[in-house]
mmCIF file of all heavy atoms in Angstrom:
data_model
loop_
_atom_site.group_PDB
_atom_site.id
_atom_site.type_symbol
_atom_site.label_atom_id
_atom_site.label_comp_id
_atom_site.label_asym_id
_atom_site.label_seq_id
_atom_site.Cartn_x
_atom_site.Cartn_y
_atom_site.Cartn_z
ATOM 1 N N HIS A 960 115.198 99.574 72.209
ATOM 2 C CA HIS A 960 115.937 100.182 71.102
ATOM 3 C C HIS A 960 115.384 101.556 70.725
ATOM 4 O O HIS A 960 116.037 102.293 69.978
ATOM 5 C CB HIS A 960 115.902 99.263 69.877
ATOM 6 C CG HIS A 960 116.565 97.941 70.109
ATOM 7 N ND1 HIS A 960 117.905 97.723 69.903
ATOM 8 C CD2 HIS A 960 116.059 96.759 70.570
ATOM 9 C CE1 HIS A 960 118.207 96.472 70.207
ATOM 10 N NE2 HIS A 960 117.098 95.857 70.623
ATOM 11 N N PHE A 962 112.425 104.839 72.236
ATOM 12 C CA PHE A 962 111.485 105.313 73.247
ATOM 13 C C PHE A 962 110.060 105.173 72.726
ATOM 14 O O PHE A 962 109.810 105.276 71.520
ATOM 15 C CB PHE A 962 111.778 106.765 73.610
ATOM 16 C CG PHE A 962 113.123 106.975 74.237
ATOM 17 C CD1 PHE A 962 114.112 107.685 73.572
ATOM 18 C CD2 PHE A 962 113.417 106.446 75.487
ATOM 19 C CE1 PHE A 962 115.364 107.884 74.142
ATOM 20 C CE2 PHE A 962 114.658 106.627 76.071
ATOM 21 C CZ PHE A 962 115.637 107.352 75.394
ATOM 22 N N PRO A 976 126.983 89.546 80.354
ATOM 23 C CA PRO A 976 128.063 90.497 80.638
ATOM 24 C C PRO A 976 129.126 89.863 81.523
ATOM 25 O O PRO A 976 128.840 88.955 82.304
ATOM 26 C CB PRO A 976 127.341 91.627 81.375
ATOM 27 C CG PRO A 976 126.183 90.944 82.045
ATOM 28 C CD PRO A 976 125.742 89.861 81.096
ATOM 29 N N GLY A 1006 112.962 114.957 85.373
ATOM 30 C CA GLY A 1006 114.000 115.164 86.366
ATOM 31 C C GLY A 1006 115.183 114.235 86.261
ATOM 32 O O GLY A 1006 116.142 114.369 87.023
ATOM 33 N N PRO A 1010 118.118 107.527 79.258
ATOM 34 C CA PRO A 1010 119.215 106.584 79.036
ATOM 35 C C PRO A 1010 119.618 106.544 77.566
ATOM 36 O O PRO A 1010 118.824 106.871 76.678
ATOM 37 C CB PRO A 1010 118.615 105.245 79.474
ATOM 38 C CG PRO A 1010 117.141 105.405 79.258
ATOM 39 C CD PRO A 1010 116.850 106.839 79.576
ATOM 40 N N GLY A 1017 116.063 98.508 84.396
ATOM 41 C CA GLY A 1017 116.071 97.808 85.671
ATOM 42 C C GLY A 1017 117.180 98.229 86.600
ATOM 43 O O GLY A 1017 118.347 97.956 86.325
ATOM 44 N N ALA A 1026 129.754 85.100 89.198
ATOM 45 C CA ALA A 1026 131.087 85.437 88.680
ATOM 46 C C ALA A 1026 131.572 86.693 89.385
ATOM 47 O O ALA A 1026 130.773 87.568 89.747
ATOM 48 C CB ALA A 1026 131.048 85.651 87.164
ATOM 49 N N ALA A 1029 138.118 91.202 88.963
ATOM 50 C CA ALA A 1029 139.377 91.396 89.688
ATOM 51 C C ALA A 1029 139.145 92.200 90.959
ATOM 52 O O ALA A 1029 138.262 93.071 91.013
ATOM 53 C CB ALA A 1029 140.374 92.124 88.785
ATOM 54 N N ALA A 1034 134.797 84.794 98.042
ATOM 55 C CA ALA A 1034 133.796 84.345 99.008
ATOM 56 C C ALA A 1034 132.391 84.809 98.614
ATOM 57 O O ALA A 1034 131.389 84.264 99.094
ATOM 58 C CB ALA A 1034 134.139 84.861 100.399
ATOM 59 N N ALA A 1042 120.851 94.136 95.230
ATOM 60 C CA ALA A 1042 121.589 95.376 95.002
ATOM 61 C C ALA A 1042 120.723 96.385 94.270
ATOM 62 O O ALA A 1042 119.878 96.016 93.438
ATOM 63 C CB ALA A 1042 122.852 95.111 94.188
ATOM 64 N N THR A 1062 127.748 97.678 96.015
ATOM 65 C CA THR A 1062 126.289 97.839 96.095
ATOM 66 C C THR A 1062 125.610 96.648 96.753
ATOM 67 O O THR A 1062 124.415 96.710 97.055
ATOM 68 C CB THR A 1062 125.678 98.020 94.694
ATOM 69 O OG1 THR A 1062 125.823 96.800 93.947
ATOM 70 C CG2 THR A 1062 126.330 99.168 93.938
ATOM 71 N N ALA A 1106 97.504 101.175 97.954
ATOM 72 C CA ALA A 1106 97.653 99.770 97.562
ATOM 73 C C ALA A 1106 98.918 99.529 96.759
ATOM 74 O O ALA A 1106 99.164 98.409 96.307
ATOM 75 C CB ALA A 1106 96.439 99.308 96.756
ATOM 76 N N GLY A 1107 99.744 100.562 96.576
ATOM 77 C CA GLY A 1107 100.970 100.436 95.803
ATOM 78 C C GLY A 1107 102.124 99.908 96.632
ATOM 79 O O GLY A 1107 101.980 99.592 97.821
ATOM 80 N N LEU A 1127 93.843 105.780 100.527
ATOM 81 C CA LEU A 1127 93.117 106.098 99.302
ATOM 82 C C LEU A 1127 93.598 105.158 98.208
ATOM 83 O O LEU A 1127 94.804 104.995 97.997
ATOM 84 C CB LEU A 1127 93.377 107.545 98.879
ATOM 85 C CG LEU A 1127 93.104 108.638 99.914
ATOM 86 C CD1 LEU A 1127 93.338 110.018 99.296
ATOM 87 C CD2 LEU A 1127 91.690 108.535 100.464
ATOM 88 N N GLY A 1141 96.046 96.687 107.318
ATOM 89 C CA GLY A 1141 95.812 97.228 108.652
ATOM 90 C C GLY A 1141 95.192 98.597 108.710
ATOM 91 O O GLY A 1141 95.015 99.152 109.811
ATOM 92 N N ALA A 1145 89.373 102.784 104.217
ATOM 93 C CA ALA A 1145 89.888 102.967 102.871
ATOM 94 C C ALA A 1145 88.823 103.650 102.029
ATOM 95 O O ALA A 1145 87.631 103.365 102.171
ATOM 96 C CB ALA A 1145 90.276 101.624 102.255
ATOM 97 N N GLY A 1152 82.563 112.344 94.725
ATOM 98 C CA GLY A 1152 82.337 112.683 96.128
ATOM 99 C C GLY A 1152 83.259 111.988 97.099
ATOM 100 O O GLY A 1152 82.975 111.917 98.301
ATOM 101 N N ASP A 1158 86.169 112.820 104.519
ATOM 102 C CA ASP A 1158 85.765 113.572 105.711
ATOM 103 C C ASP A 1158 84.917 112.711 106.638
ATOM 104 O O ASP A 1158 85.053 112.757 107.867
ATOM 105 C CB ASP A 1158 84.980 114.816 105.297
ATOM 106 C CG ASP A 1158 85.839 115.875 104.632
ATOM 107 O OD1 ASP A 1158 87.073 115.827 104.817
ATOM 108 O OD2 ASP A 1158 85.284 116.727 103.922
ATOM 109 N N GLY A 1162 85.670 111.250 110.521
ATOM 110 C CA GLY A 1162 84.784 111.582 111.625
ATOM 111 C C GLY A 1162 84.923 113.003 112.115
ATOM 112 O O GLY A 1162 84.743 113.277 113.313
ATOM 113 N N PRO A 1165 90.590 116.278 111.755
ATOM 114 C CA PRO A 1165 91.533 116.530 110.663
ATOM 115 C C PRO A 1165 92.703 115.554 110.709
ATOM 116 O O PRO A 1165 93.079 115.059 111.776
ATOM 117 C CB PRO A 1165 91.999 117.963 110.906
ATOM 118 C CG PRO A 1165 91.800 118.186 112.360
ATOM 119 C CD PRO A 1165 90.581 117.388 112.731
ATOM 120 N N ALA A 1181 93.710 115.554 99.090
ATOM 121 C CA ALA A 1181 94.072 114.808 100.290
ATOM 122 C C ALA A 1181 94.703 115.726 101.330
ATOM 123 O O ALA A 1181 94.406 115.641 102.529
ATOM 124 C CB ALA A 1181 95.026 113.675 99.936
ATOM 125 N N PRO A 1208 101.922 130.666 99.378
ATOM 126 C CA PRO A 1208 102.309 131.105 100.727
ATOM 127 C C PRO A 1208 101.112 131.551 101.553
ATOM 128 O O PRO A 1208 101.061 131.321 102.773
ATOM 129 C CB PRO A 1208 103.272 132.273 100.448
ATOM 130 C CG PRO A 1208 103.845 131.964 99.094
ATOM 131 C CD PRO A 1208 102.722 131.337 98.334
ATOM 132 N N MET A 1226 116.429 113.087 101.343
ATOM 133 C CA MET A 1226 116.665 111.727 101.810
ATOM 134 C C MET A 1226 118.153 111.390 101.845
ATOM 135 O O MET A 1226 118.630 110.709 102.754
ATOM 136 C CB MET A 1226 115.927 110.735 100.908
ATOM 137 C CG MET A 1226 115.970 109.304 101.405
ATOM 138 S SD MET A 1226 114.857 108.239 100.483
ATOM 139 C CE MET A 1226 113.286 108.964 100.930
ATOM 140 N N VAL A 1249 107.498 94.739 108.480
ATOM 141 C CA VAL A 1249 106.663 94.986 107.305
ATOM 142 C C VAL A 1249 106.678 93.731 106.431
ATOM 143 O O VAL A 1249 107.628 92.948 106.475
ATOM 144 C CB VAL A 1249 107.146 96.196 106.472
ATOM 145 C CG1 VAL A 1249 106.946 97.500 107.217
ATOM 146 C CG2 VAL A 1249 108.596 96.032 106.052
ATOM 147 N N LEU A 1258 109.855 87.592 83.272
ATOM 148 C CA LEU A 1258 110.719 88.573 82.621
ATOM 149 C C LEU A 1258 110.258 88.863 81.194
ATOM 150 O O LEU A 1258 110.246 90.029 80.769
ATOM 151 C CB LEU A 1258 112.162 88.055 82.605
ATOM 152 C CG LEU A 1258 113.183 88.899 81.840
ATOM 153 C CD1 LEU A 1258 113.354 90.266 82.496
ATOM 154 C CD2 LEU A 1258 114.521 88.163 81.753
ATOM 155 N N ALA A 1264 103.933 94.141 82.209
ATOM 156 C CA ALA A 1264 104.105 94.706 83.546
ATOM 157 C C ALA A 1264 104.092 96.229 83.486
ATOM 158 O O ALA A 1264 103.464 96.891 84.327
ATOM 159 C CB ALA A 1264 105.416 94.205 84.160
ATOM 160 N N HIS A 1266 102.664 98.127 81.176
ATOM 161 C CA HIS A 1266 101.304 98.571 80.850
ATOM 162 C C HIS A 1266 100.405 98.509 82.086
ATOM 163 O O HIS A 1266 99.642 99.449 82.358
ATOM 164 C CB HIS A 1266 100.719 97.704 79.736
ATOM 165 C CG HIS A 1266 99.291 98.028 79.408
ATOM 166 N ND1 HIS A 1266 98.919 99.183 78.738
ATOM 167 C CD2 HIS A 1266 98.132 97.359 79.684
ATOM 168 C CE1 HIS A 1266 97.608 99.206 78.600
ATOM 169 N NE2 HIS A 1266 97.101 98.124 79.168
ATOM 170 N N ARG A 1285 108.451 82.229 79.808
ATOM 171 C CA ARG A 1285 107.578 83.074 78.991
ATOM 172 C C ARG A 1285 106.126 82.964 79.391
ATOM 173 O O ARG A 1285 105.237 83.415 78.672
ATOM 174 C CB ARG A 1285 107.738 82.712 77.511
ATOM 175 C CG ARG A 1285 109.148 82.920 76.985
ATOM 176 C CD ARG A 1285 109.217 82.702 75.499
ATOM 177 N NE ARG A 1285 108.448 83.714 74.763
ATOM 178 C CZ ARG A 1285 108.949 84.892 74.387
ATOM 179 N NH1 ARG A 1285 110.191 85.223 74.670
ATOM 180 N NH2 ARG A 1285 108.184 85.755 73.722
#
Side-chain angles (χ1 to χ4, degrees):
H960 297 272
F962 297 113
T1062 67
L1127 306 183
D1158 290 340
M1226 187 170 295
V1249 292
L1258 174 65
H1266 176 72
R1285 299 186 66 87

